[in-house]
């Protein structure tokens, strides 16, 4: 019987922590890109596109992320593609993140007074010019705080990728706990590491929120 | 290459699915009632309690809000027995859900409480109501009314989050889907069916809570 010190456990968890970070970044960046595309489709594409994006958002917000992960894992495999946990987790988390971000950003764009659209439209600006010069600069300022806040949800969401065999912090925790027979210590460390990762982001989001509210009030 | 779907094989297992739905709804109901109670208590502690209680409540809220639900669940189910507390999967699931909703609803209710005009509290105090009476009859109902939409969203999120409880073999809906696919190897179909049921449950739960809130919790 080998004895494992706290440092052995922590060191191995820290090694796994980087995959949590990498997966979070993939989901956040990928979700941001897809979300931005969906937002433009919703703003520009007429009623049908708006409805389709609305359905997309409702689908991802109204079903468990765990099921989305399973569907990506088994769904991509149906097409005869050998799917790794990496692919499935990246795809599912990107789609999930995009649905939330597009909804958050839509709210931010909607909070820009209608007069701004009308005024810029009457100056003969095209939709692209309106977005670039008038709407987005204002909407982005409002959007930063909730977007950073959502990053915490994404980081926590990556923990579910452990269920389809993606070895990140949570999965590593389960494996180490099985090897060391010290579940209490291991899962305390896992929770602590997530906290260390998420808490600064939460605080930063709160600070940003206070700033934007101060500026607008 | 053709893909053939066989939803019949999944739907034939409807008793399992039904049981799963019952467990999911049961967990959600208990989790919601107890979670809202915990949230109300902590919101009161954070807005009007003594300093040590405030610190305790904020620590709890921040710890829960900044760690994944699945880790909380694993900590309670796998970690606590090592410290001498042994729990069944169902009890562990409920504790995790209550703690989770409790933390989120604390913040939501607190936002509502802080929006209460000071004059209303002063007026209530001048009517010789006790501190508890002021909180329960003057502060809480309008606060709940203001934040109810956010609360409903959070309860739906907790219901969807309960899918994770299948991982510690609580027999809720996602566990049923897993069991079905291990019997008939129709993984994609089982999870599609389960996902659609979750979607229907989420829509129905949202409607139910939006309807029930004004009638039972804060009056109209």
């Amino acid at each position: 019987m080998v004895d494992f010190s706290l440092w052995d456990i922590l060191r191995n968890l820290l090694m796994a922590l980087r995959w949590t970070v990498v997966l979070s970044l993939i989901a956040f960046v990928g979700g941001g890109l897809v979300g931005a595309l969906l937002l433009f489709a919703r703003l520009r594409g007429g009623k049908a596109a708006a409805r389709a994006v609305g359905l997309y958002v409702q689908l991802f917000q109204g079903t468990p992320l765990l099921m989305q992960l399973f569907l990506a894992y088994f769904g991509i495999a149906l097409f005869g593609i050998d799917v790794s946990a990496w692919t499935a987790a990246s795809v599912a988390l990107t789609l999930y993140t995009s649905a939330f971000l597009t909804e958050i950003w839509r709210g931010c764009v909607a909070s820009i007074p209608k007069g701004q659209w009308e005024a810029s439209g009457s100056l003969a600006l095209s939709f692209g010019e309106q977005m670039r010069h008038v709407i987005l600069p204002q909407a982005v300022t409002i959007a930063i705080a909730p977007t950073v806040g959502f990053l915490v949800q994404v980081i926590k969401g990556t923990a579910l990728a452990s269920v389809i065999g993606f070895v990140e912090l949570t999965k590593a925790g389960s494996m180490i706990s099985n090897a060391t027979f010290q579940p209490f210590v291991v899962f305390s460390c896992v929770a602590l590491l997530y906290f260390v990762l998420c808490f600064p982001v939460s605080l930063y989001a709160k600070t940003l929120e206070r700033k934007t509210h101060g500026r607008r009030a | 290459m053709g893909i053939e779907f066989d939803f019949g094989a999944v739907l034939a297992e409807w008793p399992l699915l039904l049981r799963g739905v019952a467990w999911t709804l049961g967990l959600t109901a208990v989790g919601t009632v107890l979670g809202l109670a915990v949230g109300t208590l902590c919101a009161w502690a954070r807005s009007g309690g003594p300093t040590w209680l405030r610190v305790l409540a904020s620590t709890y809220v921040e710890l829960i809000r900044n760690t994944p639900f699945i880790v909380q669940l694993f900590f309670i189910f796998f970690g606590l027995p090592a410290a001498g507390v042994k729990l069944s999967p169902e009890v562990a699931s409920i504790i995790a859900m209550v703690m989770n909703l409790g933390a989120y609803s604390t913040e939501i209710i607190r936002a509502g409480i802080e929006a209460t005009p000071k004059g209303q509290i002063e007026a209530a105090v001048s009517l010789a109501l006790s501190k508890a009476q002021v909180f329960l009859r003057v502060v809480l109902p309008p606060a709940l009314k203001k934040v109810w939409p956010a609360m409903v969203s959070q309860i739906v999120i907790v219901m969807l989050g309960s899918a994770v409880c299948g991982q510690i073999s609580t027999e809720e809906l996602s566990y049923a889907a897993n069991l079905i696919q291990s019997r008939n190897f129709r993984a994609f179909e089982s999870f599609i069916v389960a996902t659609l049921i979750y979607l229907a449950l989420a829509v129905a739960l949202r409607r139910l809570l939006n309807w029930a809130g004004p009638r039972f919790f804060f009056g109209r």
Side-chain angles (χ1 to χ4, degrees):
Chain A
M1 169 97 191
V2 190
D3 271 330
F4 296 91
S5 71
L6 184 61
W7 171 239
D8 288 328
I9 291 173
L10 208 57
R11 194 189 51 205
N12 281 299
L13 287 178
L14 279 170
M15 299 286 271
L17 181 69
R18 62 196 162 135
W19 300 123
T20 291
V21 174
V22 171
L23 189 59
S24 304
L25 287 177
I26 290 177
F28 200 58
V29 173
L33 290 176
V34 178
L37 279 177
L38 288 173
L39 178 65
F40 278 101
R42 181 159 198 168
L43 290 174
R44 199 65 215 284
K47 257 193 189 138
R51 184 168 268 185
V53 175
L55 250 154
Y56 176 89
V57 170
Q58 207 173 25
L59 197 66
F60 282 93
Q61 292 192 345
T63 57
L65 176 57
L66 186 71
M67 291 292 113
Q68 295 164 21
L69 278 160
F70 277 134
L71 284 178
Y73 194 57
F74 293 106
I76 301 174
L78 275 187
F79 293 95
I81 302 167
D82 195 21
V83 57
S84 68
W86 264 105
T87 327
S90 306
V91 168
L93 281 163
T94 296
L95 295 181
Y96 169 82
T97 307
S98 73
F100 279 82
L101 285 181
T102 200
E103 188 66 5
I104 292 173
W105 294 342
R106 187 186 66 88
C108 296
V109 169
S111 73
I112 306 294
K114 222 179 163 191
Q116 302 269 338
W117 285 100
E118 291 166 352
S120 55
S122 72
L123 290 172
L125 296 187
S126 70
F127 174 78
E129 288 168 333
Q130 278 180 307
M131 284 307 270
R132 200 161 62 240
H133 299 301
V134 182
I135 306 298
L136 281 189
Q138 303 179 68
V140 165
T141 325
I142 308 169
I144 289 175
T147 305
V148 172
F150 184 68
L151 179 56
V152 176
Q153 307 297 324
V154 176
I155 297 173
K156 291 192 295 176
T158 61
L160 290 182
S162 62
V163 174
I164 56 169
F166 185 100
V167 183
E168 38 64 77
L169 185 49
T170 306
K171 180 78 185 170
S174 303
M175 286 154 62
I176 295 170
S177 150
N178 288 340
T180 60
F181 301 110
Q182 298 183 34
F184 187 81
V185 179
V186 174
F187 285 114
S188 301
C189 290
V190 171
L192 197 72
L193 286 176
Y194 273 108
F195 185 78
V196 168
L197 204 59
C198 293
F199 190 55
V201 183
S202 296
L203 279 186
Y204 183 55
K206 231 179 241 175
T207 320
L208 283 171
E209 206 172 304
R210 227 169 277 141
K211 260 193 210 162
T212 30
H213 272 286
R215 206 179 303 154
R216 280 199 295 163
Chain B
M1 181 205 69
I3 301 168
E4 278 171 37
F5 291 112
D6 185 4
F7 286 102
V10 176
L11 294 175
E13 303 273 10
W14 63 268
L16 270 177
L17 289 171
L18 207 63
R19 238 170 86 92
V21 170
W23 266 107
T24 294
L25 289 179
L27 288 176
T28 308
V30 178
T32 300
V33 172
L34 296 180
L36 287 188
V38 171
T40 309
L41 265 173
C42 290
W44 169 79
R46 278 195 81 169
S47 61
T51 313
W52 65 269
L53 201 59
R54 271 181 213 218
V55 173
L56 200 71
S58 336
T59 311
Y60 155 68
V61 168
E62 293 301 341
L63 269 179
I64 298 289
R65 276 160 49 101
N66 288 295
T67 50
F69 178 67
I70 189 171
V71 174
Q72 294 158 15
L73 189 69
F74 282 180
F75 179 80
I76 291 171
F77 186 67
F78 297 119
L80 286 187
V85 187
K86 191 139 176 50
L87 299 164
S88 71
E90 293 79 16
V91 174
S93 302
I94 285 178
I95 293 177
M97 286 172 77
V98 168
M99 302 252 299
N100 200 275
L101 183 62
Y104 282 93
S105 59
T106 297
E107 284 303 278
I108 295 172
I109 295 173
R110 196 169 68 105
I113 289 175
E114 278 171 8
T116 310
K118 233 183 163 170
Q120 289 197 5
I121 298 168
E122 286 163 0
V125 171
S126 74
L127 288 173
L129 295 186
S130 73
K131 233 181 154 179
Q133 280 175 321
V134 173
F135 183 74
L136 286 176
R137 297 191 178 267
V138 179
V139 177
L140 196 57
L144 272 181
K145 186 175 183 173
K146 258 179 225 131
V147 298
W148 191 245
M151 192 63 91
V152 171
S153 295
Q154 194 58 48
I155 293 170
V156 171
I157 288 173
V158 167
M159 189 270 283
L160 297 175
S162 74
V164 177
C165 298
Q167 295 302 314
I168 58 168
S169 71
T170 302
E171 297 176 22
E172 44 73 54
L173 183 51
S174 77
Y175 182 88
N178 243 322
L179 196 62
I180 292 172
Q181 68 107 359
S182 70
R183 283 184 182 178
N184 61 15
F185 305 109
R186 291 285 172 187
F188 191 67
E189 290 92 325
S190 320
F191 290 122
I192 281 273
V193 169
T195 305
L196 289 179
I197 296 177
Y198 272 115
L199 187 63
L201 288 181
V203 172
L205 183 62
R206 189 176 289 276
R207 291 232 170 125
L208 174 75
L209 289 172
N210 280 331
W211 172 83
R215 274 170 189 76
F216 302 117
F217 300 127
F218 40 78
R220 269 170 294 182

